[in-house]
Amino acid sequence: MRQLSRLETALLLMGGLLMVIGSGAYILLQSWAPCLFAVGSVLFVAMQMRQKYEGTNFVVRRLRRLLLLSDFLFLAAALLMVANEWNFLRLDQLVYLKYVHNNWVVVLLVAAVLQLYISHRIANELD
């Protein structure tokens, strides 16, 4: 895996921290929390995209593709959190309750579990 520079590592950590603060603040009913979570998720995903794998190990390449899926899920959770707060999609109330209302939690949980699993597996495969 390509090692990130100090600045990129700091941005990755800051993105993760902003995501944690944003999701915690959203639970505490802060209206600015979705914006903070969205900025954090964009930072986190952008820095993970910069971390490429140029090797030929099939397992690591497959895990890297799953990591990209997890990154997409982080961005989807941010979009759902923003849509949950402001309903900018202008959905019907029934459709909104069925597909958007607090579903960002499920998407975030799936993305976090995937990140945890993939990080552990990639570290083991590279050793």
Side-chain angles (χ1 to χ4, degrees), residues 42-93:
V42 167
L43 270 175
F44 187 80
V45 168
M47 290 305 110
Q48 274 199 338
M49 293 291 178
R50 304 240 338 130
Q51 194 175 20
K52 296 187 187 272
Y53 177 70
E54 287 94 16
T56 58
N57 188 343
F58 177 74
V59 175
V60 176
R61 294 174 79 81
R62 180 183 54 87
L63 289 169
R64 180 78 180 127
R65 284 193 299 270
L66 282 173
L67 192 69
L68 296 178
L69 171 67
S70 175
D71 289 340
F72 171 74
L73 289 175
F74 277 133
L75 294 175
L79 180 67
L80 284 172
M81 186 186 284
V82 170
N84 194 36
E85 181 68 26
W86 292 299
N87 194 12
F88 67 90
L89 299 174
R90 305 283 183 232
L91 298 172
D92 180 40
Q93 189 67 23

Tab-separated table of all heavy atoms in Angstrom, residues 42-93:
chain	number	residue	atom	x	y	z
A	42	VAL	N	-16.037	13.296	3.393
A	42	VAL	CA	-15.352	13.624	2.138
A	42	VAL	C	-13.836	13.623	2.354
A	42	VAL	O	-13.079	13.081	1.526
A	42	VAL	CB	-15.846	14.976	1.579
A	42	VAL	CG1	-14.936	15.482	0.482
A	42	VAL	CG2	-17.269	14.847	1.082
A	43	LEU	N	-13.369	14.201	3.457
A	43	LEU	CA	-11.932	14.179	3.766
A	43	LEU	C	-11.421	12.755	3.929
A	43	LEU	O	-10.378	12.387	3.377
A	43	LEU	CB	-11.659	14.956	5.053
A	43	LEU	CG	-11.361	16.430	4.950
A	43	LEU	CD1	-11.241	17.037	6.327
A	43	LEU	CD2	-10.116	16.669	4.162
A	44	PHE	N	-12.144	11.959	4.690
A	44	PHE	CA	-11.731	10.582	4.965
A	44	PHE	C	-11.673	9.759	3.681
A	44	PHE	O	-10.691	9.059	3.424
A	44	PHE	CB	-12.709	9.955	5.963
A	44	PHE	CG	-12.298	8.613	6.458
A	44	PHE	CD1	-11.364	8.501	7.462
A	44	PHE	CD2	-12.851	7.463	5.928
A	44	PHE	CE1	-10.974	7.252	7.933
A	44	PHE	CE2	-12.479	6.216	6.390
A	44	PHE	CZ	-11.532	6.110	7.399
A	45	VAL	N	-12.695	9.870	2.865
A	45	VAL	CA	-12.759	9.099	1.625
A	45	VAL	C	-11.680	9.568	0.644
A	45	VAL	O	-11.018	8.745	-0.003
A	45	VAL	CB	-14.167	9.189	1.003
A	45	VAL	CG1	-14.188	8.664	-0.415
A	45	VAL	CG2	-15.157	8.436	1.867
A	46	ALA	N	-11.469	10.874	0.549
A	46	ALA	CA	-10.455	11.397	-0.376
A	46	ALA	C	-9.065	10.897	-0.005
A	46	ALA	O	-8.271	10.524	-0.883
A	46	ALA	CB	-10.498	12.916	-0.379
A	47	MET	N	-8.764	10.863	1.265
A	47	MET	CA	-7.439	10.404	1.679
A	47	MET	C	-7.298	8.892	1.517
A	47	MET	O	-6.217	8.403	1.215
A	47	MET	CB	-7.157	10.804	3.126
A	47	MET	CG	-6.949	12.285	3.312
A	47	MET	SD	-5.650	12.939	2.252
A	47	MET	CE	-6.558	13.913	1.092
A	48	GLN	N	-8.377	8.144	1.683
A	48	GLN	CA	-8.290	6.707	1.435
A	48	GLN	C	-8.144	6.408	-0.048
A	48	GLN	O	-7.526	5.414	-0.416
A	48	GLN	CB	-9.508	5.987	1.998
A	48	GLN	CG	-9.341	5.638	3.432
A	48	GLN	CD	-10.290	4.548	3.868
A	48	GLN	OE1	-11.326	4.309	3.255
A	48	GLN	NE2	-9.945	3.899	4.950
A	49	MET	N	-8.689	7.253	-0.899
A	49	MET	CA	-8.519	7.068	-2.339
A	49	MET	C	-7.064	7.302	-2.757
A	49	MET	O	-6.589	6.717	-3.718
A	49	MET	CB	-9.414	8.035	-3.122
A	49	MET	CG	-10.870	7.772	-2.963
A	49	MET	SD	-11.311	6.251	-3.758
A	49	MET	CE	-13.005	6.182	-3.361
A	50	ARG	N	-6.368	8.182	-2.046
A	50	ARG	CA	-4.969	8.453	-2.357
A	50	ARG	C	-4.057	7.295	-1.972
A	50	ARG	O	-2.949	7.195	-2.466
A	50	ARG	CB	-4.502	9.713	-1.639
A	50	ARG	CG	-5.325	10.911	-1.949
A	50	ARG	CD	-4.666	12.073	-2.557
A	50	ARG	NE	-3.248	12.204	-2.387
A	50	ARG	CZ	-2.433	12.431	-3.405
A	50	ARG	NH1	-2.910	12.504	-4.619
A	50	ARG	NH2	-1.151	12.587	-3.208
A	51	GLN	N	-4.528	6.432	-1.095
A	51	GLN	CA	-3.745	5.298	-0.632
A	51	GLN	C	-4.006	4.118	-1.572
A	51	GLN	O	-4.953	3.373	-1.410
A	51	GLN	CB	-4.148	4.953	0.797
A	51	GLN	CG	-3.220	4.052	1.508
A	51	GLN	CD	-3.646	3.889	2.949
A	51	GLN	OE1	-4.801	4.145	3.297
A	51	GLN	NE2	-2.728	3.457	3.779
A	52	LYS	N	-3.151	3.945	-2.567
A	52	LYS	CA	-3.367	2.927	-3.592
A	52	LYS	C	-2.515	1.694	-3.316
A	52	LYS	O	-1.553	1.743	-2.579
A	52	LYS	CB	-3.022	3.492	-4.962
A	52	LYS	CG	-3.923	4.624	-5.382
A	52	LYS	CD	-3.658	5.020	-6.798
A	52	LYS	CE	-4.426	6.252	-7.153
A	52	LYS	NZ	-5.724	6.028	-7.626
A	53	TYR	N	-2.909	0.600	-3.961
A	53	TYR	CA	-2.131	-0.633	-3.886
A	53	TYR	C	-1.674	-0.984	-5.290
A	53	TYR	O	-2.485	-1.185	-6.191
A	53	TYR	CB	-2.993	-1.759	-3.300
A	53	TYR	CG	-2.274	-3.084	-3.261
A	53	TYR	CD1	-1.225	-3.281	-2.383
A	53	TYR	CD2	-2.635	-4.110	-4.109
A	53	TYR	CE1	-0.554	-4.488	-2.351
A	53	TYR	CE2	-1.986	-5.325	-4.078
A	53	TYR	CZ	-0.939	-5.512	-3.198
A	53	TYR	OH	-0.279	-6.700	-3.157
A	54	GLU	N	-0.356	-1.051	-5.490
A	54	GLU	CA	0.194	-1.355	-6.804
A	54	GLU	C	0.687	-2.791	-6.921
A	54	GLU	O	1.260	-3.163	-7.931
A	54	GLU	CB	1.355	-0.402	-7.139
A	54	GLU	CG	0.926	1.003	-7.480
A	54	GLU	CD	0.945	1.937	-6.277
A	54	GLU	OE1	1.580	1.578	-5.266
A	54	GLU	OE2	0.328	2.996	-6.351
A	55	GLY	N	0.490	-3.605	-5.928
A	55	GLY	CA	0.978	-4.978	-5.940
A	55	GLY	C	0.107	-5.897	-6.773
A	55	GLY	O	-0.853	-5.484	-7.426
A	56	THR	N	0.446	-7.188	-6.724
A	56	THR	CA	-0.276	-8.174	-7.526
A	56	THR	C	-1.057	-9.172	-6.677
A	56	THR	O	-1.666	-10.090	-7.237
A	56	THR	CB	0.715	-8.962	-8.412
A	56	THR	OG1	1.682	-9.588	-7.571
A	56	THR	CG2	1.396	-8.041	-9.407
A	57	ASN	N	-1.073	-9.017	-5.366
A	57	ASN	CA	-1.788	-9.933	-4.490
A	57	ASN	C	-3.291	-9.786	-4.727
A	57	ASN	O	-3.874	-8.723	-4.514
A	57	ASN	CB	-1.440	-9.653	-3.036
A	57	ASN	CG	-2.005	-10.689	-2.090
A	57	ASN	OD1	-2.900	-11.444	-2.440
A	57	ASN	ND2	-1.476	-10.707	-0.889
A	58	PHE	N	-3.919	-10.887	-5.160
A	58	PHE	CA	-5.340	-10.849	-5.507
A	58	PHE	C	-6.209	-10.540	-4.292
A	58	PHE	O	-7.202	-9.813	-4.398
A	58	PHE	CB	-5.755	-12.189	-6.131
A	58	PHE	CG	-7.211	-12.262	-6.453
A	58	PHE	CD1	-7.728	-11.569	-7.524
A	58	PHE	CD2	-8.073	-13.015	-5.673
A	58	PHE	CE1	-9.076	-11.615	-7.823
A	58	PHE	CE2	-9.422	-13.074	-5.966
A	58	PHE	CZ	-9.923	-12.372	-7.039
A	59	VAL	N	-5.851	-11.081	-3.142
A	59	VAL	CA	-6.661	-10.885	-1.933
A	59	VAL	C	-6.660	-9.410	-1.526
A	59	VAL	O	-7.708	-8.841	-1.199
A	59	VAL	CB	-6.139	-11.784	-0.787
A	59	VAL	CG1	-6.875	-11.498	0.500
A	59	VAL	CG2	-6.265	-13.243	-1.170
A	60	VAL	N	-5.500	-8.765	-1.575
A	60	VAL	CA	-5.423	-7.351	-1.207
A	60	VAL	C	-6.175	-6.496	-2.215
A	60	VAL	O	-6.835	-5.524	-1.842
A	60	VAL	CB	-3.949	-6.909	-1.068
A	60	VAL	CG1	-3.844	-5.420	-0.782
A	60	VAL	CG2	-3.259	-7.707	0.022
A	61	ARG	N	-6.104	-6.863	-3.483
A	61	ARG	CA	-6.852	-6.104	-4.501
A	61	ARG	C	-8.356	-6.223	-4.270
A	61	ARG	O	-9.101	-5.249	-4.401
A	61	ARG	CB	-6.474	-6.588	-5.890
A	61	ARG	CG	-5.025	-6.287	-6.250
A	61	ARG	CD	-4.632	-6.902	-7.577
A	61	ARG	NE	-5.091	-6.141	-8.715
A	61	ARG	CZ	-4.473	-5.066	-9.197
A	61	ARG	NH1	-3.397	-4.630	-8.624
A	61	ARG	NH2	-4.945	-4.444	-10.244
A	62	ARG	N	-8.812	-7.423	-3.913
A	62	ARG	CA	-10.236	-7.620	-3.614
A	62	ARG	C	-10.640	-6.833	-2.379
A	62	ARG	O	-11.692	-6.185	-2.353
A	62	ARG	CB	-10.516	-9.109	-3.405
A	62	ARG	CG	-11.965	-9.417	-3.081
A	62	ARG	CD	-12.172	-10.885	-2.816
A	62	ARG	NE	-11.297	-11.430	-1.807
A	62	ARG	CZ	-11.560	-11.410	-0.501
A	62	ARG	NH1	-12.666	-10.875	-0.058
A	62	ARG	NH2	-10.710	-11.935	0.353
A	63	LEU	N	-9.805	-6.862	-1.352
A	63	LEU	CA	-10.103	-6.105	-0.139
A	63	LEU	C	-10.103	-4.598	-0.419
A	63	LEU	O	-10.890	-3.854	0.166
A	63	LEU	CB	-9.093	-6.442	0.961
A	63	LEU	CG	-9.234	-7.832	1.562
A	63	LEU	CD1	-8.033	-8.155	2.436
A	63	LEU	CD2	-10.525	-7.958	2.344
A	64	ARG	N	-9.240	-4.164	-1.305
A	64	ARG	CA	-9.203	-2.740	-1.682
A	64	ARG	C	-10.514	-2.335	-2.366
A	64	ARG	O	-11.024	-1.246	-2.137
A	64	ARG	CB	-8.004	-2.505	-2.593
A	64	ARG	CG	-7.855	-1.113	-3.055
A	64	ARG	CD	-7.274	-0.221	-2.002
A	64	ARG	NE	-7.181	1.117	-2.562
A	64	ARG	CZ	-7.680	2.186	-1.986
A	64	ARG	NH1	-8.229	2.117	-0.815
A	64	ARG	NH2	-7.599	3.347	-2.561
A	65	ARG	N	-11.052	-3.222	-3.208
A	65	ARG	CA	-12.341	-2.918	-3.839
A	65	ARG	C	-13.461	-2.848	-2.804
A	65	ARG	O	-14.363	-2.010	-2.903
A	65	ARG	CB	-12.660	-3.952	-4.913
A	65	ARG	CG	-11.874	-3.760	-6.185
A	65	ARG	CD	-12.417	-4.592	-7.317
A	65	ARG	NE	-12.381	-6.014	-7.064
A	65	ARG	CZ	-11.371	-6.823	-7.365
A	65	ARG	NH1	-10.302	-6.323	-7.933
A	65	ARG	NH2	-11.451	-8.111	-7.121
A	66	LEU	N	-13.407	-3.715	-1.798
A	66	LEU	CA	-14.394	-3.647	-0.715
A	66	LEU	C	-14.231	-2.366	0.097
A	66	LEU	O	-15.211	-1.806	0.590
A	66	LEU	CB	-14.271	-4.860	0.195
A	66	LEU	CG	-14.871	-6.157	-0.319
A	66	LEU	CD1	-14.527	-7.303	0.612
A	66	LEU	CD2	-16.361	-6.019	-0.470
A	67	LEU	N	-12.995	-1.905	0.214
A	67	LEU	CA	-12.744	-0.649	0.907
A	67	LEU	C	-13.393	0.515	0.155
A	67	LEU	O	-13.937	1.437	0.767
A	67	LEU	CB	-11.238	-0.432	1.047
A	67	LEU	CG	-10.775	0.657	1.980
A	67	LEU	CD1	-11.064	0.266	3.428
A	67	LEU	CD2	-9.297	0.913	1.794
A	68	LEU	N	-13.363	0.451	-1.169
A	68	LEU	CA	-14.024	1.487	-1.966
A	68	LEU	C	-15.532	1.448	-1.771
A	68	LEU	O	-16.194	2.493	-1.749
A	68	LEU	CB	-13.667	1.321	-3.444
A	68	LEU	CG	-12.195	1.518	-3.792
A	68	LEU	CD1	-11.971	1.267	-5.269
A	68	LEU	CD2	-11.722	2.884	-3.394
A	69	LEU	N	-16.097	0.252	-1.621
A	69	LEU	CA	-17.524	0.125	-1.315
A	69	LEU	C	-17.832	0.763	0.031
A	69	LEU	O	-18.821	1.485	0.183
A	69	LEU	CB	-17.942	-1.342	-1.323
A	69	LEU	CG	-19.362	-1.626	-0.819
A	69	LEU	CD1	-20.385	-1.055	-1.775
A	69	LEU	CD2	-19.561	-3.102	-0.596
A	70	SER	N	-16.984	0.524	1.002
A	70	SER	CA	-17.171	1.118	2.323
A	70	SER	C	-17.086	2.644	2.252
A	70	SER	O	-17.861	3.343	2.914
A	70	SER	CB	-16.119	0.567	3.276
A	70	SER	OG	-16.197	1.196	4.514
A	71	ASP	N	-16.165	3.154	1.451
A	71	ASP	CA	-16.064	4.603	1.276
A	71	ASP	C	-17.334	5.178	0.657
A	71	ASP	O	-17.826	6.232	1.070
A	71	ASP	CB	-14.863	4.952	0.407
A	71	ASP	CG	-13.551	4.713	1.114
A	71	ASP	OD1	-13.552	4.641	2.363
A	71	ASP	OD2	-12.527	4.599	0.425
A	72	PHE	N	-17.866	4.476	-0.338
A	72	PHE	CA	-19.122	4.908	-0.940
A	72	PHE	C	-20.247	4.917	0.099
A	72	PHE	O	-21.086	5.825	0.114
A	72	PHE	CB	-19.476	3.989	-2.115
A	72	PHE	CG	-20.847	4.227	-2.664
A	72	PHE	CD1	-21.115	5.337	-3.438
A	72	PHE	CD2	-21.886	3.354	-2.380
A	72	PHE	CE1	-22.389	5.572	-3.932
A	72	PHE	CE2	-23.155	3.570	-2.868
A	72	PHE	CZ	-23.406	4.692	-3.644
A	73	LEU	N	-20.257	3.931	0.983
A	73	LEU	CA	-21.287	3.879	2.020
A	73	LEU	C	-21.140	5.033	3.015
A	73	LEU	O	-22.145	5.550	3.521
A	73	LEU	CB	-21.258	2.538	2.736
A	73	LEU	CG	-21.741	1.339	1.924
A	73	LEU	CD1	-21.557	0.049	2.704
A	73	LEU	CD2	-23.183	1.515	1.510
A	74	PHE	N	-19.911	5.451	3.314
A	74	PHE	CA	-19.723	6.624	4.173
A	74	PHE	C	-20.326	7.870	3.520
A	74	PHE	O	-20.990	8.674	4.183
A	74	PHE	CB	-18.241	6.871	4.460
A	74	PHE	CG	-17.691	6.043	5.585
A	74	PHE	CD1	-16.499	5.368	5.434
A	74	PHE	CD2	-18.340	5.952	6.795
A	74	PHE	CE1	-15.973	4.609	6.455
A	74	PHE	CE2	-17.828	5.195	7.832
A	74	PHE	CZ	-16.645	4.517	7.656
A	75	LEU	N	-20.097	8.022	2.223
A	75	LEU	CA	-20.667	9.177	1.520
A	75	LEU	C	-22.193	9.080	1.454
A	75	LEU	O	-22.894	10.093	1.576
A	75	LEU	CB	-20.071	9.282	0.120
A	75	LEU	CG	-18.577	9.605	0.065
A	75	LEU	CD1	-18.089	9.562	-1.371
A	75	LEU	CD2	-18.286	10.947	0.703
A	76	ALA	N	-22.721	7.875	1.277
A	76	ALA	CA	-24.173	7.687	1.262
A	76	ALA	C	-24.767	8.000	2.630
A	76	ALA	O	-25.854	8.588	2.728
A	76	ALA	CB	-24.520	6.267	0.844
A	77	ALA	N	-24.063	7.634	3.701
A	77	ALA	CA	-24.547	7.954	5.047
A	77	ALA	C	-24.580	9.461	5.254
A	77	ALA	O	-25.518	9.991	5.864
A	77	ALA	CB	-23.658	7.293	6.095
A	78	ALA	N	-23.576	10.162	4.741
A	78	ALA	CA	-23.568	11.627	4.849
A	78	ALA	C	-24.741	12.231	4.081
A	78	ALA	O	-25.423	13.131	4.576
A	78	ALA	CB	-22.246	12.181	4.334
A	79	LEU	N	-24.991	11.722	2.879
A	79	LEU	CA	-26.117	12.217	2.081
A	79	LEU	C	-27.444	11.947	2.780
A	79	LEU	O	-28.319	12.814	2.835
A	79	LEU	CB	-26.096	11.580	0.693
A	79	LEU	CG	-27.213	12.004	-0.250
A	79	LEU	CD1	-27.049	13.467	-0.622
A	79	LEU	CD2	-27.224	11.129	-1.478
A	80	LEU	N	-27.604	10.753	3.337
A	80	LEU	CA	-28.843	10.427	4.048
A	80	LEU	C	-29.004	11.268	5.319
A	80	LEU	O	-30.120	11.649	5.669
A	80	LEU	CB	-28.881	8.949	4.394
A	80	LEU	CG	-29.208	8.000	3.255
A	80	LEU	CD1	-29.028	6.557	3.687
A	80	LEU	CD2	-30.618	8.236	2.754
A	81	MET	N	-27.902	11.568	5.984
A	81	MET	CA	-27.991	12.404	7.184
A	81	MET	C	-28.431	13.823	6.818
A	81	MET	O	-29.287	14.405	7.493
A	81	MET	CB	-26.640	12.458	7.909
A	81	MET	CG	-26.704	13.181	9.232
A	81	MET	SD	-25.107	13.402	10.010
A	81	MET	CE	-24.796	11.778	10.627
A	82	VAL	N	-27.877	14.355	5.744
A	82	VAL	CA	-28.281	15.692	5.292
A	82	VAL	C	-29.741	15.675	4.837
A	82	VAL	O	-30.513	16.579	5.159
A	82	VAL	CB	-27.340	16.186	4.173
A	82	VAL	CG1	-27.867	17.446	3.528
A	82	VAL	CG2	-25.943	16.430	4.732
A	83	ALA	N	-30.133	14.629	4.110
A	83	ALA	CA	-31.522	14.526	3.659
A	83	ALA	C	-32.472	14.338	4.833
A	83	ALA	O	-33.610	14.814	4.802
A	83	ALA	CB	-31.669	13.362	2.681
A	84	ASN	N	-32.013	13.677	5.873
A	84	ASN	CA	-32.837	13.478	7.055
A	84	ASN	C	-33.065	14.794	7.792
A	84	ASN	O	-34.130	15.020	8.361
A	84	ASN	CB	-32.162	12.458	7.981
A	84	ASN	CG	-33.083	11.947	9.042
A	84	ASN	OD1	-34.266	11.771	8.797
A	84	ASN	ND2	-32.550	11.708	10.204
A	85	GLU	N	-32.078	15.656	7.771
A	85	GLU	CA	-32.184	16.926	8.495
A	85	GLU	C	-33.009	17.946	7.727
A	85	GLU	O	-33.847	18.626	8.300
A	85	GLU	CB	-30.779	17.476	8.765
A	85	GLU	CG	-30.765	18.772	9.535
A	85	GLU	CD	-31.230	18.613	10.974
A	85	GLU	OE1	-31.113	17.514	11.537
A	85	GLU	OE2	-31.728	19.617	11.519
A	86	TRP	N	-32.761	18.083	6.423
A	86	TRP	CA	-33.392	19.163	5.671
A	86	TRP	C	-34.363	18.700	4.601
A	86	TRP	O	-35.014	19.535	3.983
A	86	TRP	CB	-32.322	20.046	5.043
A	86	TRP	CG	-31.560	20.802	6.067
A	86	TRP	CD1	-32.068	21.712	6.945
A	86	TRP	CD2	-30.180	20.689	6.354
A	86	TRP	NE1	-31.061	22.174	7.754
A	86	TRP	CE2	-29.901	21.568	7.419
A	86	TRP	CE3	-29.145	19.931	5.835
A	86	TRP	CZ2	-28.629	21.712	7.949
A	86	TRP	CZ3	-27.889	20.074	6.349
A	86	TRP	CH2	-27.638	20.963	7.397
A	87	ASN	N	-34.489	17.419	4.311
A	87	ASN	CA	-35.391	16.879	3.294
A	87	ASN	C	-35.295	17.656	1.982
A	87	ASN	O	-36.284	18.077	1.409
A	87	ASN	CB	-36.835	16.836	3.800
A	87	ASN	CG	-37.719	15.971	2.922
A	87	ASN	OD1	-37.241	15.236	2.069
A	87	ASN	ND2	-39.017	16.074	3.120
A	88	PHE	N	-34.062	17.866	1.512
A	88	PHE	CA	-33.844	18.612	0.278
A	88	PHE	C	-34.283	17.828	-0.960
A	88	PHE	O	-34.388	18.387	-2.039
A	88	PHE	CB	-32.377	19.015	0.135
A	88	PHE	CG	-31.441	17.862	-0.064
A	88	PHE	CD1	-31.140	17.423	-1.330
A	88	PHE	CD2	-30.862	17.221	1.022
A	88	PHE	CE1	-30.285	16.365	-1.520
A	88	PHE	CE2	-30.001	16.167	0.839
A	88	PHE	CZ	-29.722	15.738	-0.437
A	89	LEU	N	-34.567	16.544	-0.795
A	89	LEU	CA	-35.019	15.738	-1.922
A	89	LEU	C	-36.494	15.953	-2.234
A	89	LEU	O	-36.989	15.499	-3.253
A	89	LEU	CB	-34.766	14.252	-1.636
A	89	LEU	CG	-33.307	13.864	-1.411
A	89	LEU	CD1	-33.207	12.414	-0.985
A	89	LEU	CD2	-32.488	14.122	-2.648
A	90	ARG	N	-37.202	16.634	-1.350
A	90	ARG	CA	-38.633	16.932	-1.504
A	90	ARG	C	-39.456	15.669	-1.729
A	90	ARG	O	-40.241	15.567	-2.664
A	90	ARG	CB	-38.871	17.923	-2.638
A	90	ARG	CG	-38.111	19.200	-2.530
A	90	ARG	CD	-38.754	20.103	-1.512
A	90	ARG	NE	-38.037	21.367	-1.479
A	90	ARG	CZ	-37.579	21.908	-0.377
A	90	ARG	NH1	-37.774	21.315	0.766
A	90	ARG	NH2	-36.936	23.034	-0.408
A	91	LEU	N	-39.239	14.710	-0.875
A	91	LEU	CA	-39.955	13.441	-0.984
A	91	LEU	C	-41.292	13.509	-0.275
A	91	LEU	O	-41.497	14.291	0.648
A	91	LEU	CB	-39.115	12.317	-0.359
A	91	LEU	CG	-37.771	12.048	-1.003
A	91	LEU	CD1	-36.992	11.052	-0.168
A	91	LEU	CD2	-37.948	11.542	-2.410
A	92	ASP	N	-42.205	12.664	-0.727
A	92	ASP	CA	-43.480	12.492	-0.060
A	92	ASP	C	-43.225	11.993	1.363
A	92	ASP	O	-42.249	11.291	1.624
A	92	ASP	CB	-44.320	11.485	-0.847
A	92	ASP	CG	-45.671	11.239	-0.225
A	92	ASP	OD1	-46.291	12.213	0.247
A	92	ASP	OD2	-46.096	10.067	-0.204
A	93	GLN	N	-44.086	12.335	2.297
A	93	GLN	CA	-43.859	11.988	3.705
A	93	GLN	C	-43.744	10.483	3.926
A	93	GLN	O	-42.898	10.020	4.683
A	93	GLN	CB	-44.993	12.562	4.566
A	93	GLN	CG	-44.758	12.452	6.043
A	93	GLN	CD	-43.599	13.317	6.515
A	93	GLN	OE1	-43.232	14.288	5.883
A	93	GLN	NE2	-43.022	12.946	7.637
